[in-house]
C-alpha cells in the first residue's frame, strides 16, 4: 500500500508541477512582501511616530501646558492632536491619542477628553483602566454621574492591579452614593474591603 501511495503522490506532483510551483512562488512572494513592509516601511514610520511624540509629551508632562500639548506651539511642537492624527495605527500615534485625552481633561475640555479617550485601545490593562477612569472623571465634571459610574466600573473591572482598581472602586462607589444607589455603593465598598 505504501508503494502504491508513493507512486500516486509522485504522479500527482508530476502532473501538477507547474500549478504547485506557482502556489509556492506566490506564498514566498507574500512572505517576502510582509517582511519587506515590516522592516522597511512600518518600523521606520513607527519610530518616526515615537520621535514626533516627545514635544507634546514635554508640554504635557514637564510644563503642564495643556494647550501646547494639545495643539502645539511655534517652537517645533506639532501637538498631540496632530501626532495622533498623523500616526494613527503606530505606537506613537496610539500614545498621543491617550495623552491627548488626558490633556483635554486637564484643560477642562471634558467632551473632547471623552471623545479622544474612547478611541484609545491599548492591550496594557493598567493604561486601559486609567483611560476608562479618565472618561469617568470627565463625565463627573459634566454632571453625568450615571455614565461616570459606568466608566469607573469598567476601570476597576478591566484591571485587577493594586494601584488603579481600588481608586476606581472608590470613585464608582462614591458615584453610586451620589445617585442615591446606596445598596450598589455598599456592594462595591464590600468588594473593595474583601479584595484590597
Amino acid at each position: 500500500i505504501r508503494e502504491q501511495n508513493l507512486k500516486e503522490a509522485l504522479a500527482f506532483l508530476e502532473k501538477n508541477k507547474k500549478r504547485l510551483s506557482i502556489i509556492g512562488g506566490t506564498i514566498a512572494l507574500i512572505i517576502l512582501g510582509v517582511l519587506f513592509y515590516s522592516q522597511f516601511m512600518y518600523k521606520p514610520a513607527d519610530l518616526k511616530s515615537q520621535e514626533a511624540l516627545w514635544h507634546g509629551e514635554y508640554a504635557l508632562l514637564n510644563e503642564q501646558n495643556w494647550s501646547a500639548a494639545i495643539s502645539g506651539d511655534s517652537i517645533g511642537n506639532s501637538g498631540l492632536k496632530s501626532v495622533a492624527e498623523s500616526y494613527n495605527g503606530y505606537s506613537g500615534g496610539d500614545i498621543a491619542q491617550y495623552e491627548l485625552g488626558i490633556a483635554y481633561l486637564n484643560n477642562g475640555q471634558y467632551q473632547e477628553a471623552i471623545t479622544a479617550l474612547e478611541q484609545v485601545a491599548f492591550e496594557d490593562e493598567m493604561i486601559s483602566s486609567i483611560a476608562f477612569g479618565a472618561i469617568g472623571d470627565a463625565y463627573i465634571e459634566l454632571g453625568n454621574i450615571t455614565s461616570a459610574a459606568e466608566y469607573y466600573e469598567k476601570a476597576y473591572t478591566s484591571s485587577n492591579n493594586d494601584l488603579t482598581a481600588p481608586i476606581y472602586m472608590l470613585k464608582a462607589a462614591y458615584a453610586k452614593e451620589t445617585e442615591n444607589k446606596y445598596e450598589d455603593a455598599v456592594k462595591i465598598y464590600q468588594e473593595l474591603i474583601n479584595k484590597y
Side-chain angles (χ1 to χ4, degrees), residues 49-165:
S49 77
Q50 294 169 19
E51 291 169 357
L53 187 61
W54 82 268
H55 283 294
E57 282 185 331
Y58 186 83
L60 176 73
L61 302 172
N62 293 357
E63 297 175 346
Q64 295 184 349
N65 183 343
W66 317 126
S67 296
I70 294 166
S71 301
D73 55 33
S74 61
I75 57 171
N77 173 14
S78 60
L80 295 169
K81 185 175 182 182
S82 175
V83 174
E85 290 170 356
S86 299
Y87 295 101
N88 185 18
Y90 295 100
S91 60
D94 295 341
I95 294 167
Q97 186 67 40
Y98 166 75
E99 291 176 346
L100 176 64
I102 300 300
Y104 277 137
L105 182 65
N106 288 320
N107 203 38
Q109 295 173 271
Y110 304 117
Q111 193 57 54
E112 291 85 350
I114 292 166
T115 302
L117 290 167
E118 284 178 338
Q119 296 175 36
V120 171
F122 283 109
E123 291 180 18
D124 184 283
E125 70 176 37
M126 187 174 291
I127 294 176
S128 295
S129 72
I130 292 170
F132 286 138
I135 294 171
D137 292 344
Y139 275 122
I140 285 284
E141 294 295 334
L142 292 172
N144 187 339
I145 307 301
T146 303
S147 293
E150 288 174 23
Y151 274 94
Y152 289 144
E153 286 183 58
K154 284 182 183 181
Y156 78 78
T157 57
S158 70
S159 174
N160 287 326
N161 67 71
D162 294 344
L163 180 64
T164 61

